[in-house]
DNA sequence: GTTGGCACTCGTCGATTAGGAGTGCTAACC
DNA sequence: GGTTAGCACTCCTAATCGACGAGTGCCAAC
């Protein structure tokens, strides 16, 4: 798609998109002129509109209504007509303030990011906690809860903490458990779940069992990365008039269940550096056709990465959404770099 | 409220409640007789209905519509007209099967309970993970992530695991950290967050800092018990015709945010043994007046306790909801007893 | 106490209508 | 040739109207 439109057509398209996003109603030639003085008459606007419709940037809901942007129209708007402003400084300050208030915990950050994203964009937000594609073991502890019931706590290289409750065959004292973990810890350090599993057969009964469990836990942690997602602002998106409790809303709720929406979205999002926008029918998944997504990845390079974005109707304030997503992705990236990366060359 | 109704009035009330719950439409005398042969004429039913309305068990939406149960009517139904059946065995088996499939982790159980509760009741479910009102420290570990960044992992007596990222003043090697944790662990075992905090001033620089952080973390874990809640089945409840995307739905979504609904619900729920039902205006919180709640507490005695329940419109299948809530509370209780309690005298 | 009959009430649904916003076309204008 | 005013036409929206039907309440008869 080239910017083959005249300057006037671009102005008109821009105004129509903005006006439609603002009001939610199809916009007509006359009302457009009444609101914005372009120095031309409605009739001229109409002929330009006709041209824009010809090229599929606009559409008619029905013969005698105003124009509505098509997905292609939105795309052009996002690509060429949007002056991508930074988020205003006061809002930046509000956001980073909130991140400073919350406890220093990766999951808390992700949750907060979801809340802020939703509140500021007025749409549904999605945030996956940052995960590494290959987790390596760092350290584990065995803690006797009572009798044969033992809690296994594992920490990975990336600082993920996972626990699981084990039922042992026989009762084992805390001392023995501590001795075992002290013996095994150096061995399993930096290993992947496959490597740990390979160690298991060679070990004695209890040690072998623990190694198996560790491998399971590590594998599970990796898998969770695929499905775990924090979503906020459902109320906002369900308020949108084009969705409003109808069948689309039902569809969306189903997609949110168990993170199913992620598996539709992820294949289409390259882990590129900047914000990505997917509008309506550009989605490969038909279920997402009524929606637009503004998303970005974040994370410490080569370590852990996550995804965050907002989901709303194609009629969404793209400019604002993009600034917000970009800024929060940057905040999250900085937080993670402080934890993982060696280089500290940024504020 | 006494059961001062005649046998026939009770039968009619029961049928009206059931019919209304089933169809969602106000039920009239004639249609009731057509469906259920009571051996009496519509006119007789009408006069009984009039009596029931007099006593506020039923209401008229408008002069010439059928009758609808009032909150009082539902209450009478739940109290006296419901033969509280157990959940059918096949469904019991399905449920316990699902719990056996999931990883042995308290949070996973709570999440699964929420999913099952929602799916089987067809309404919104709420499950708070089991928490102790006073958490005592069991064990902690310090893990160096890089440079001055350290991960603090703490395990409480009840097996809760919490972690936080710390920024130290100076760089400290993993060996020093391990030595420190080995020295402090015996000291802080079984202490509450207040007791730990009292130790801090007496300790050296780094140890003092760690103790403060531990106290914070422990306190935070207790506080989370107040707000953390797993909710599932939002789609079900938003499908209900009496709610359907309207302002009540918005209200509900707001209440779900950050677990606000819990602070409205908890004060009214005694941690009694059996299932509790709160119907419509019986809620102290006006925001909950459109809803009915069926809830029960679960947990290992004197150790940890949680709450689970379903939330739906007052027109909800009480009998079924009660059986489901009761059964799942029992399953969760058994799971927790296996972890915590000494006595193993039940299956 | 129960029942059938009957007039009356009201909400629902479909059809009808008026109003209005917007278009597309054409002819005139600069 | 692009621009504009004028105008007929389209079609959605909201309001109105009326038929329909479910349900009630009352009364007289059983």
């Amino acid at each position: 798609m080239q910017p083959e439109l005249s300057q006037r057509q671009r102005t008109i398209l821009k105004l129509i998109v903005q006006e439609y996003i603002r009001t939610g109603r199809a916009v007509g030639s006359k009302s457009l002129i009444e609101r914005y003085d372009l120095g031309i008459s409605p009739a001229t606007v109409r002929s330009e509109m006709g041209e824009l419709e010809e090229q599929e940037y606009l559409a008619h809901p029905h013969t005698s209504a105003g124009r509505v942007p098509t997905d292609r129209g939105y795309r052009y708007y996002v690509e060429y007509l949007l002056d991508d402003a930074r988020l205003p400084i006061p809002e930046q300050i509000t956001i980073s303030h909130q991140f400073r208030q919350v406890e220093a915990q990766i999951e808390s950050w992700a949750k907060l990011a979801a809340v802020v994203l939703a509140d500021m964009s007025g749409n549904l937000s999605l945030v996956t906690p940052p995960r590494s594609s290959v987790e390596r073991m760092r350290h584990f502890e065995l803690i006797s809860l009572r009798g044969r019931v033992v809690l296994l706590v594992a920490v990975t290289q990336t600082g993920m903490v996972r626990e699981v409750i084990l039922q042992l065959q026989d009762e084992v004292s805390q001392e023995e458990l501590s001795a075992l973990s002290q013996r095994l810890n150096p061995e399993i350090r930096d290993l992947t779940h496959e490597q740990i599993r390979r160690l298991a057969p060679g070990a004695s009964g209890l040690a072998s069992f623990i190694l198996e469990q560790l491998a399971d836990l590590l594998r599970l942690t990796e898998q969770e990365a695929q499905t775990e997602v924090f979503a906020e602002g459902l109320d906002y998106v369900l308020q949108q008039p084009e969705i409003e409790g109808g069948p689309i809303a039902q569809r969306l709720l189903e997609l949110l269940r168990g993170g199913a929406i992620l598996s539709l979205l992820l294949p289409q999002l390259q882990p590129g550096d900047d914000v990505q926008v997917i509008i309506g029918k550009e989605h490969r998944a038909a279920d997402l056709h009524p929606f637009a997504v503004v998303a970005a990845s974040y994370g410490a390079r080569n370590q852990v990465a996550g995804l965050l974005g907002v989901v709303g109707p194609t009629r969404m304030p793209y400019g604002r959404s993009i600034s917000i997503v970009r800024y929060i992705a940057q905040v999250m990236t900085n937080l993670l770099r402080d934890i993982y990366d060696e280089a500290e060359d940024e504020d």
Side-chain angles (χ1 to χ4, degrees), chain A residues 8 10 88-89 106 182 211 248 253 264 276 287 289 318:
Chain A
R8 193 168 67 188
R10 297 168 62 135
I89 304 289
I106 293 179
Q182 225 152 12
L211 288 172
I248 298 178
L253 285 168
L264 300 183
Q276 285 183 71
D287 277 339
H289 282 179
Y318 290 97

Side-chain angles (χ1 to χ4, degrees), chain A residues 99-109 339:
Chain A
F99 274 92
R100 235 172 278 128
Q101 295 259 309
V102 87
E103 54 201 309
Q105 210 190 96
I106 293 179
E107 296 234 322
S108 305
W109 291 336
I339 300 176

